Amino acid sequence: MTTALERPLDRAAPFHPVRAVPAAADRDTTGVLLADGQHLFRSGLGALLDREDDLSVVAEAVCGEDAAAEAARTRPAVAVLDLDVPGPGGPATAAMIRAAAPTTAVLLLAPAVRRTDELQRALADGVAGVLLKDVPAGALISAVRELARGGRVYDPRLVLDVVRTDRQTPLSRRELAVLSEIADGATIREAAAALSLSPGTVRNYVSAAIAKTRARNRCDAIRIARECGWL
């Protein structure tokens, strides 16, 4: 009798290989470059973006020069820069990246204390996005995707600061000086003494400032002048 071991082996069943799911770096993802001098913030931001299926951090840099070099090497869709990135700073680094990789959209992250001169320069140089550095994670991810699609994203508070600062002041130098003294807590007589003017002249300057700013009173005129960046 033929034993089981002596029987010929059955023909093996056809083999159907299982297709491996590609890693995030192998999929068609949006490449992102990060440039920030603070390792903890940069690595945390990288981990946040890498968790998204359609985003992939392709390079990191600790200074502006390295960021421009990495942009030229990796050609990311979006570069996320700290406004205070070491080296030439955020606006200058953004310009360097645009020169090295013209198709890369730049997103600047600004600190809570806004510096309108740098933001004005960045906007004039064509930065595609500007957000506060404490932006919620979801909003930042949405902004990266929007820039990758060719859109632009600006925090309205930052843009308002830039627009207000860019407005020409209707106030004269003397009117601004008087408002500045009063804003610092000086009385009419104290402001007059500090500026070598008579109290009546100081009152006239205050009245002129109120009229030119269409304010309700001197406190309102000071508020408007500060919001517009004139004080």
Side-chain angles (χ1 to χ4, degrees):
M1 183 174 77
T2 304
T3 65
L5 291 176
E6 294 173 325
R7 287 199 299 266
L9 293 174
D10 294 334
R11 184 182 299 273
F15 175 68
H16 298 287
V18 177
R19 184 174 61 85
V21 177
D26 298 328
R27 295 197 297 267
D28 185 15
T29 58
T30 296
V32 182
L33 163 67
L34 303 179
D36 192 296
Q38 297 179 355
H39 173 73
L40 185 61
F41 180 85
R42 191 179 67 252
S43 60
L45 182 56
L48 173 72
L49 296 177
D50 272 336
R51 283 204 300 265
E52 301 299 311
D53 290 340
D54 59 328
L55 304 178
S56 177
V57 176
V58 295
E60 296 184 15
V62 298
C63 66
E65 293 84 353
D66 288 349
E70 288 296 330
R73 182 180 68 85
T74 60
R75 304 285 172 166
V78 180
V80 181
L81 312 180
D82 179 16
L83 183 65
D84 295 320
V85 63
T93 299
M96 292 165 58
I97 288 176
R98 283 165 52 82
T103 60
T104 298
V106 176
L107 173 62
L108 274 182
L109 298 182
V113 179
R114 278 93 90 178
R115 298 190 296 278
T116 51
D117 55 338
E118 291 178 282
L119 295 176
Q120 279 178 315
R121 178 183 173 189
L123 293 176
D125 285 345
V127 168
V130 181
L131 297 175
L132 287 175
K133 201 167 184 179
D134 63 355
V135 61
L140 176 62
I141 291 169
S142 296
V144 170
R145 288 175 176 144
E146 181 62 26
L147 264 63
R149 290 192 293 264
R152 293 174 178 267
V153 178
Y154 303 113
D155 187 304
R157 294 166 294 177
L158 299 175
V159 174
L160 186 59
D161 285 348
V162 171
V163 171
R164 282 173 170 166
T165 303
D166 199 41
R167 286 167 53 187
Q168 292 294 323
T169 174
L171 304 179
S172 69
R173 245 189 250 176
R174 279 295 193 182
E175 290 161 355
L176 286 172
V178 167
L179 281 186
S180 179
E181 290 291 332
I182 294 175
D184 288 340
T187 64
I188 292 293
R189 290 190 175 278
E190 289 169 343
L195 299 171
S196 301
L197 299 171
S198 70
T201 300
V202 168
R203 289 191 184 93
N204 289 339
Y205 281 133
V206 171
S207 297
I210 292 172
K212 288 181 179 180
T213 57
R214 299 182 181 180
R216 296 185 301 273
N217 49 47
R218 70 179 69 171
C219 293
D220 196 31
I222 290 169
R223 177 189 63 78
I224 292 170
R226 279 176 169 167
E227 288 184 351
C228 290
W230 301 333
L231 284 181

